[in-house]
Amino acid sequence: MFTSSLFAQYQKGFNCFIALLTTYKLEIIFMLKEAGQYDAKSLEQNIHKFWDEIDAYSKVREQRIKGPKFFFVDGPPYTTGRIHLGTAWNKIIKDSILRYRSMKGFNVLDRAGWDMHGLPIEVKVEGVLGFKSKKDIEKYGVENFVAKCKEFALSHRDEMTLQFQNLGVWLNWHDPYMTLRDEYIEAAWWTLKKAHEKKLLEKGLRVVNWCPRCETAIADSEVEYSEVSDPSVYIKFPVVGQENTFIVIWTTTPWTIPANIAVAVHPSFEYVKVRAVKNGKEEFLIVAQELLKNVLKQGRYQEHEILETILGEDLKIAYKAPLGHKVPKQNEFSHNVYLADFVTAENTGCVHIAPGHGIDDFELGMKHKLPIFCPVGPDGKYTEEAGQYKGMNVKEANKTIINDLTESGLMLASGKITHRYGNCWRCKTPIIYLATEQWFLRITDIKDKMLDEIKKVKWYPDWAGSARFADWVKGSRDWCISRQRYWGIPIPVWVCDFCGEVEVMGTMEELKSRSGVKELTDLHRPYVDNIHIKCSKCEQRMSRVPDVFDVWFDSAVASWATLNYPRDEKTIKEWWPADFITEGHDQTRGWFYSQMGASMVSFGKAPYKSVLMHGFTLDTEGKKMSKSLGNVVSPDEVINKLGAESLRLYVLSQNAPWDDLKFGWDEVGTVNRMLNILWNVYRFPLPYMILDNFNPVDVNEKLDSLPLRLEDKWILSRVQSLIKKVEVSMSEYNLHKATRPISEFILEDLSRWYIQLIRPRTWREANDPDKLAAYYTLYEVLVALTKVMAPFAPHISEEMYGNLVRNIHPDALQSVHMCNWQPAKEKFIDTELEKRMDIIREIVEASSNARQKLKRKLRWPVKRIVVSSKNEIVNEAVLSLESVLKEQTNAKKIVSLKTGETWDQLGVEVLPNHAALGPAFKKDAGKVIAELKTADGRAIKKSMLETGSFELKAGVITADMVTFKDLIPPAIASAVFSAGEVYVDTELTREIEAEGYSREVIRRIQDMRKELDLAVEEEIKATVEIKDDRVAVLVFEKKDFIAQEVRARSLEIGPEVEVEGDLVKDWDVEDVKMRIGIGR
RNA sequence: GGGCCCGUAGCUUAGCCAGGUGGAGCGCUCGGCUGAUAACCGAGAGGUCUUGCGUUCAAAUCGCAACGGGCCCA
């Protein structure tokens, strides 16, 4: 035992204690400790503190340094705001898988990552500084602005790190990769240089999504769609050479009409030329036949006449620019009709084409070498080229243009439409399409190779790659990587001011040596903006293009940037490509894609070997969680209410990882309850074990030498089977299938069954082998459980391990996470036994069902339980596990019938078959039926089975004339289970009544003990008055038994007892009045 | 409009790949237990398996279509 001074030393520190141990050569000083109620929050905090103190994470990683390598790349969360449930789920998945891998002996590399550049942060900082446009930033100074952005990113990283750590997530938080670091920037630069070398980098005019407020191109992924009201106008373009004839187009962006160059029609649609009359005035219109009705209705024409039908491909006409009088430049272009497959049978079937303002338009323009006319500037205002509209904001110009067209009589109809339109996801400004000069990666050139690489990657689930990702890549276009902003990785492209030669700087060193700049401490803007180099072709000055990278390009290089490549050329050879990544399905077009693209450019192969695609977190309704809907649940809220462990197991077990997760508090609560039960299971035996000086260091030998009961062997088998199940599920990253069986094991096998079975054994005071067998078995099971749970529930398993293992073994590993994954011990697995026990449990359930039918409480023993079976295994089960069955059903006797045998105590009711009896016996049928009612059913049934007939007084009946039904005696109830039926005989005997009433008395005294808050071992004096003489005598016979159960040093029972004590209560037991008093 | 995924009891879900009487948990109702006790256990009720068509002796399961939800794209 501990001496108090030793104990104090223990408190001071583990190491100190070890020292003492060695000095004094003490043994068996390590002991289990009792545990209080489950308090998730303080338990988790203590574990976090413990991990910090011993630097558990680093030790675990160091410990496996010789193991097979497992390279994991963390998809970097963007450092803005706080983490949400989806991010939490994401990191919990990562943590569980990496903990599992680590226990399996892998040398895991897992730097946490942070995505810290880009427009979202710029917009936030602009908000804080009250800026409205890029001019404000220029005025404030790019240097100051970038400093603010950096500060913002770093402070948010710190906040978010804490939140992830609160979830118990282990990644390398000490040395995360950050996109704002110079070595990271170099990885991006190096990649672009590679692209340039492979001729995959291209500068070109393209139509891009443009935010007129942010004055930059934005990625498709940065466009957020919402319902808005826009003009819906039908415009008549005057056809050249045909008097009073118009081709009719429809648009929601009248502001693009000044940039109109062409009209597109579908080659295989039928078009009509029609004479249409409105208010007596006639004109000729060209539209798709299918849509004629719509156009006539829109234009309120009263009558019409189809003059001609033309196939789209034959429609060769030219038209006059509708706004030529306002936009002089328009008159320099020729306007014609072209064919395009993207034309749909909607509105008019003729599509207005402005190659400067639409993606399809642009491509059609390129195909036919049309002018890419774009009279709109970066600020969303018309330029000089727009003639009279110059200086006008395009969105505001809609009205003016509609008026102008109406005035010139070209407006066929003008209305409003509500449709989805793209906005800048950060500042909510409606985007416009602009043809601008941008830098591109020619993804279209390497698409086929990418599709081949996708097939080499292992996708979980398979369709994430074969269907979803492949489909996205097939449809992908060249990647616009340039942004006209400030906070990002500067594009390392230098262009010769004189000859236009392009060069890409791959590293800081290269830039320094080419430019002669000695001091360069930061690779951001504005520090690299004014560095010039000498053109290697013409020796003139080269200047950097002012753009920064699309932020998706940052994370795209993560798999080598996290290995500090190209600065460190050695590490990448040992680790790359990544063994595993996992992100949500939104990242199909995001990180899965951007990484694949960048890696194809750099290395010509996929940067990852396997990908787990997970789902999204939705609210209870299945709707997206969003601030505007007010349905956001934060991980912090869940942790505060129910603990991180509950959240972890909830998100892991609720769904298949790839399905979306509908968050529900009730379900998290259920997980929490399960953990509470686990905790109770764990702490329940501790006081007994401690009292008995139980020391399980020799658990392995003891399990071999002690007389284990079948139930002990059963739970040992169950826990080993559980380990196997978890392994199989984890091999396919089926986290739900790994975690659900753990919960089931805890609830069903451990709590509801094994603990109930061994209870009486633990109360036994003698130190007998039977009790020890239960202790050792439970100990073994709990320790195995801590290891199998550790990847998923790292806190509670660490706590249990600390007590069960570290408090016992002086040389134990410090953390459960340092332990190796313990493969299933085959010698314990006995599937036959597991099957038998299943049957016993079914029988117990059925018998409790039967008891309920006759309202007989479990406290009252029953005379016997009879089991009828459909197959042999039931008999084997009942025979081998009879003691378990007897105890759990509280039966005096178990009778097992042979398979197929009916119980001889059952009566048989003979049901006459009138249809057969009538014709056979005619008017004597009545007599036969009357006789059957009182006849010996059993005899008739037996005879029918043996001879097929039976002789009654009234005549001989045959088998077809009767059917049989079992008759259950009144004191017997039955219930069926999957492989048979159970009969519970509740007939009362004197002994059963005595025991039943005694247990009623015991229960009430225990209840009163609790009310008085007595200690378990405290003795009492008890007096029991039972007015009913007969019951009083019955109970009196069990006086010693009762006294022992309630720890009474004196006990009086009788009809005339004077009841006294600290607490006196009246009870009504099954209509028998009792008055009980107890006192110290 | 397109691609992928999902749609089973009031709620959350298993079963679907390999077709043959739909299993759980929560909640609800009733009961039990009282040396895990601000715990625990049992029973019961509750399902047109989103809808329609098809394949088949047989469909929650396979096919087609529609409807609803999610992500992504246009």
Side-chain angles (χ1 to χ4, degrees), chain A residues 214 592 596 688 771 811:
Chain A
C214 302
F592 297 161
M596 180 67 90
Y688 308 109
K771 178 173 72 177
D811 52 354

Side-chain angles (χ1 to χ4, degrees), chain A residues 614-717:
Chain A
H614 67 77
F616 252 57
T617 46
L618 310 173
D619 75 359
T620 333
E621 313 274 293
K623 297 257 190 285
K624 193 174 160 174
M625 284 192 184
S626 75
K627 270 189 199 149
S628 56
L629 288 173
N631 58 356
V632 177
V633 177
S634 81
D636 274 357
E637 202 181 336
V638 183
I639 292 178
N640 278 329
K641 284 188 184 143
L642 298 166
E645 209 86 308
S646 298
L647 177 60
R648 289 179 66 109
L649 282 171
Y650 166 71
V651 296
L652 293 173
S653 62
Q654 181 68 7
N655 282 111
W658 49 85
D659 281 338
D660 288 346
L661 179 126
K662 283 193 220 173
F663 181 83
W665 279 103
D666 286 354
E667 282 73 28
V668 189
T670 305
V671 172
N672 185 253
R673 208 191 51 147
M674 184 277 289
L675 286 169
N676 190 43
I677 291 173
L678 168 65
W679 187 256
N680 283 336
V681 163
Y682 150 73
R683 79 191 183 105
F684 147 77
L686 294 175
Y688 308 109
M689 288 176 166
I690 291 165
L691 216 64
D692 290 334
N693 252 320
F694 171 68
N695 188 298
V697 274
D698 54 348
V699 58
N700 287 325
E701 299 99 82
K702 280 295 194 316
L703 285 176
D704 286 336
S705 62
L706 281 168
L708 298 188
R709 288 202 194 181
L710 277 176
E711 52 264 43
D712 302 330
K713 290 181 177 166
W714 169 80
I715 193 77
L716 288 168
S717 176

Side-chain angles (χ1 to χ4, degrees), chain A residues 144-164:
Chain A
N144 296 333
F145 184 71
V146 162
K148 286 276 178 203
C149 289
K150 186 172 185 179
E151 191 187 312
F152 183 96
L154 286 171
S155 70
H156 279 86
R157 178 206 60 169
D158 293 343
E159 277 176 39
M160 291 167 79
T161 302
L162 275 177
Q163 292 174 61
F164 286 134

Side-chain angles (χ1 to χ4, degrees), chain A residues 452-512:
Chain A
D452 287 342
E453 283 300 305
I454 292 172
K455 290 184 197 138
K456 294 181 193 160
V457 175
K458 173 80 182 137
W459 296 86
Y460 303 93
D462 184 65
W463 53 259
S466 61
R468 198 169 176 143
F469 190 53
D471 183 70
W472 162 253
V473 170
K474 274 176 204 155
S476 61
R477 294 196 293 254
D478 287 342
W479 178 4
C480 174
I481 52 164
S482 49
R483 295 290 183 275
Q484 293 66 49
R485 296 295 304 187
Y486 308 95
W487 178 236
I489 298 181
I491 288 188
V493 170
W494 268 258
V495 179
C496 179
D497 297 344
F498 182 74
C499 74
E501 173 70 5
V502 169
E503 287 194 51
V504 178
M505 296 297 105
T507 59
M508 183 192 264
E509 272 318 304
E510 188 181 2
L511 177 59
K512 275 183 175 168

